[in-house]
């Protein structure tokens, strides 16, 4: 009877543990405490702008529906989810696939067409450097499990055994580092089509996922480790705290590596390194009214998808002006901006994406001082105004106008009279009148002739903080 009772109690506690989400989520806070206490390395906070690359077998069909075709939400537009959309019978994907390739053509059959014959890593890296980005994050392996490096844990399903027969990840890494940028890897914890993932998550984690993550880190020494696909399981099931203890304690990048918050279904906006948002939607509540103290990063594509989507046309792409404004807004709120490019299966970065990056780069050449190394300004809320953003660095304040600046502009709560003020990228001095914590700026008119850039203009106010 006693035995029966204790069995029953054990049964109940196991049931409660798994049935009540809150309980299970709070099960291992201690494991996270030490990990969360490690500060995000400063280089990441200063870098502000990075390039995301989604590239893999999904770049062959390179297709996703558009909002105007009835895609239900932004996820349904993602071309990198192609395989899973077919398997789960999404009518938009299934129709496109059977009309274009026929029902008998399976996703793995695309692998041999992922040839990357025009891929020139050196040229990619130059494009990234010229964009003003300070780091790059490449999909080492997306949800389809296909590895861009010769991973011993994905035999026959990696870029070295199929298609390009090259170590794409290794080549990009070398080229990006040679341009002086930091290199990081996105890594999907889940593999939708791996039977082990579906049937025996414990074995998947122990014999596939964790050893593969270590292989990636030991062989290529990333400066960012960017997991994703964490939503099916708790971080304890994925053994994320264990991996992080190794990453921070023993790995070759233990002192420098930066990680995000996607480590288990309970971790976003709570644990790990910087918090992540996506298309301003996913988990944006964590950073909404920003000025949050915790480091964060917004990622998005230039169009509606991360992987290249042939279905998109000009109207689906954000303009350079929109992208510069996004960058300014994120940075003013204390975030980084990770802008994605989706290269083609033959290894090119689509020209329109190159053009957007070049425009951002031109803008940053003039205004980088108002972006890199800055922090949000404490007086931003008090001085909130339409199309005006603030950043601060040392004793200097930057006022960034995303519309042509007005003739005069007043700032409250300024600590001291500035030593000077000017429009970045010019020698145009801005008049300053200071009394009782109020600074009045007199801004000379910007014209086609004297404007240093397009899209947004920054005034640097030196020594007022
Ligand atoms: C998501 C998507 C994915 C994309 C990523 C970028 O989780 O599943 O396709 O890689 O977010 O943030």
């Amino acid at each position: 009877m006693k035995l029966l009772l204790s069995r029953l109690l054990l049964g109940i506690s196991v049931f409660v543990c798994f049935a009540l989400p809150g309980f299970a989520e709070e099960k291992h806070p201690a494991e996270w405490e030490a990990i969360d206490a490690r500060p995000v390395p400063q280089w990441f906070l200063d870098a502000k702008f990075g390039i995301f690359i989604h590239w893999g077998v999904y770049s062959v069909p390179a297709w996703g529906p558009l909002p105007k075709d009835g895609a239900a939400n932004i996820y349904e537009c993602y071309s990198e989810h192609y395989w899973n959309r077919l398997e789960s019978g999404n009518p938009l994907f299934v129709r496109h696939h059977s009309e274009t390739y026929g029902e008998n053509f399976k996703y793995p059959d695309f692998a041999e067409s992922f040839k990357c014959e025009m891929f020139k890593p050196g040229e990619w890296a130059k494009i990234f450097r010229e964009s003003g980005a300070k780091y790059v994050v490449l999909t080492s392996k997306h949800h389809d499990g296909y590895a861009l490096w010769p991973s011993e844990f994905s035999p026959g399903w990696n870029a070295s055994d199929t298609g390009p027969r090259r170590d794409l990840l290794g080549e990009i890494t070398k080229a990006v580092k040679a341009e002086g940028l930091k290199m990081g890897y996105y890594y999907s914890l889940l593999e939708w089509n791996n039977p082990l993932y579906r049937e025996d998550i414990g074995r998947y984690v122990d014999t596939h996922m964790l050893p593969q993550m270590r292989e990636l880190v030991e062989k290529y020494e990333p400066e960012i480790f960017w997991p994703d696909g964490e939503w099916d399981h708790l971080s304890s099931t994925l053994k994320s705290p264990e991996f992080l203890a190794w990453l921070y304690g023993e790995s070759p990048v233990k002192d420098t590596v930066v990680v995000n918050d996607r480590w288990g279904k309970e971790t976003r906006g709570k644990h790990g390194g910087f918090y992540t948002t996506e298309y301003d939607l996913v988990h944006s509540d964590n950073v909404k009214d920003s000025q949050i103290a915790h480091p964060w990063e917004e990622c998005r594509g230039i169009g509606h998808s991360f992987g290249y989507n042939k279905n998109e046309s000009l109207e689906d792409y954000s303009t350079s002006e929109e992208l510069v404004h996004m960058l300014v807004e994120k940075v003013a709120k204390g975030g980084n901006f990770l802008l994605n490019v989706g290269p083609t299966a033959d290894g090119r970065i689509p020209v329109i994406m190159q053009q957007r990056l070049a425009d951002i780069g031109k803008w940053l050449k003039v205004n980088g001082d108002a972006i890199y190394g800055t922090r949000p300004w404490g007086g931003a809320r008090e001085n909130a105004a339409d199309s005006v953003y603030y950043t601060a660095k040392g004793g200097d304040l930057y006022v960034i106008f995303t519309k042509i600046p007005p003739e005069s502009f007043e700032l409250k709560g300024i600590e001291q009279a500035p030593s000077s003020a000017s429009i970045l990228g010019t020698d145009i001095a801005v008049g300053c009148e200071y009394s009782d914590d109020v600074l009045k700026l007199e801004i000379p008119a910007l014209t086609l002739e004297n404007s240093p850039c397009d899209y947004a203009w920054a005034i640097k106010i030196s020594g007022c903080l």
Side-chain angles (χ1 to χ4, degrees), residues 214-267:
R214 285 177 68 136
E215 175 194 54
L216 186 58
V217 170
E218 279 168 346
K219 196 161 169 208
Y220 300 99
E221 305 191 358
E223 281 143 313
I224 301 175
F225 195 89
W226 212 104
D228 180 41
E230 82 294 6
W231 44 80
D232 288 340
H233 297 283
L234 287 168
S235 62
S236 49
T237 308
L238 298 170
K239 299 195 175 164
S240 295
E242 276 171 49
F243 175 76
L244 281 161
W246 172 80
L247 190 71
Y248 288 174
E250 291 167 54
S251 81
V253 291
K254 62 185 168 59
D255 299 322
T256 48
V257 73
V258 184
V259 305
N260 73 7
D261 60 350
R262 302 184 179 184
W263 294 99
K265 66 175 167 188
E266 83 288 16
T267 64

Side-chain angles (χ1 to χ4, degrees), residues 418-458:
S419 53
S420 64
S422 62
I423 299 174
L424 279 191
T426 72
D427 43 23
I428 303 174
V430 170
C432 295
E433 232 176 73
Y434 179 75
S435 73
D436 287 339
D437 284 4
V438 174
L439 176 64
K440 199 170 168 202
L441 302 174
E442 297 298 337
I443 311 169
L446 282 174
T447 62
L448 275 182
E449 283 72 40
N450 68 5
S451 175
C453 56
D454 296 322
Y455 318 133
W457 298 265

Side-chain angles (χ1 to χ4, degrees), residues 54 78 80-81 142-143 186 226 228 231 262 278 299 306:
H54 276 61
Y78 292 176
E80 68 273 17
H81 290 196
H142 206 266
H143 307 327
Y186 164 108
W226 212 104
D228 180 41
W231 44 80
R262 302 184 179 184
E278 191 174 314
C299 67
F306 286 95

Side-chain angles (χ1 to χ4, degrees), residues 163-200:
R165 296 192 160 70
R166 287 164 76 169
D167 176 2
L168 300 176
L169 179 143
E171 291 187 42
I172 297 175
T173 301
K174 212 169 136 207
V176 162
K177 288 189 176 174
E179 290 293 343
L181 274 61
K182 307 261 188 201
M183 187 67 204
Y185 306 128
Y186 164 108
Y187 179 90
S188 175
L189 303 174
L190 70 76
E191 288 183 20
W192 272 324
N193 302 80
N194 185 330
L196 211 50
Y197 180 79
R198 291 176 174 176
E199 287 149 26
D200 189 345

Side-chain angles (χ1 to χ4, degrees), residues 25-67:
E25 281 167 21
E26 294 311 321
K27 234 173 73 182
H28 293 290
E31 283 180 309
W32 280 107
E33 227 168 88
I35 293 163
D36 294 342
R38 178 183 181 268
V40 171
Q42 169 147 351
W43 76 260
F44 183 80
L45 305 178
D46 292 343
K48 303 298 177 199
F49 181 42
I51 301 292
F52 215 176
I53 310 172
H54 276 61
W55 198 33
V57 171
Y58 46 82
S59 313
V60 178
W63 190 91
L66 302 172

Side-chain angles (χ1 to χ4, degrees), residues 11 68 95 105 130 134 170 197 201 214 227 232 251 285 295 298 322 332 359 362 380 410 422 447 455:
K68 68 168 192 276
R95 192 176 61 225
F105 194 91
E130 282 293 307
K134 299 294 182 197
Y197 180 79
I201 186 67
R214 285 177 68 136
D232 288 340
S251 81
D285 277 354
E298 152 80 0
E322 286 166 340
D359 281 348
K362 260 193 241 155
E410 228 175 62
S422 62
T447 62
Y455 318 133

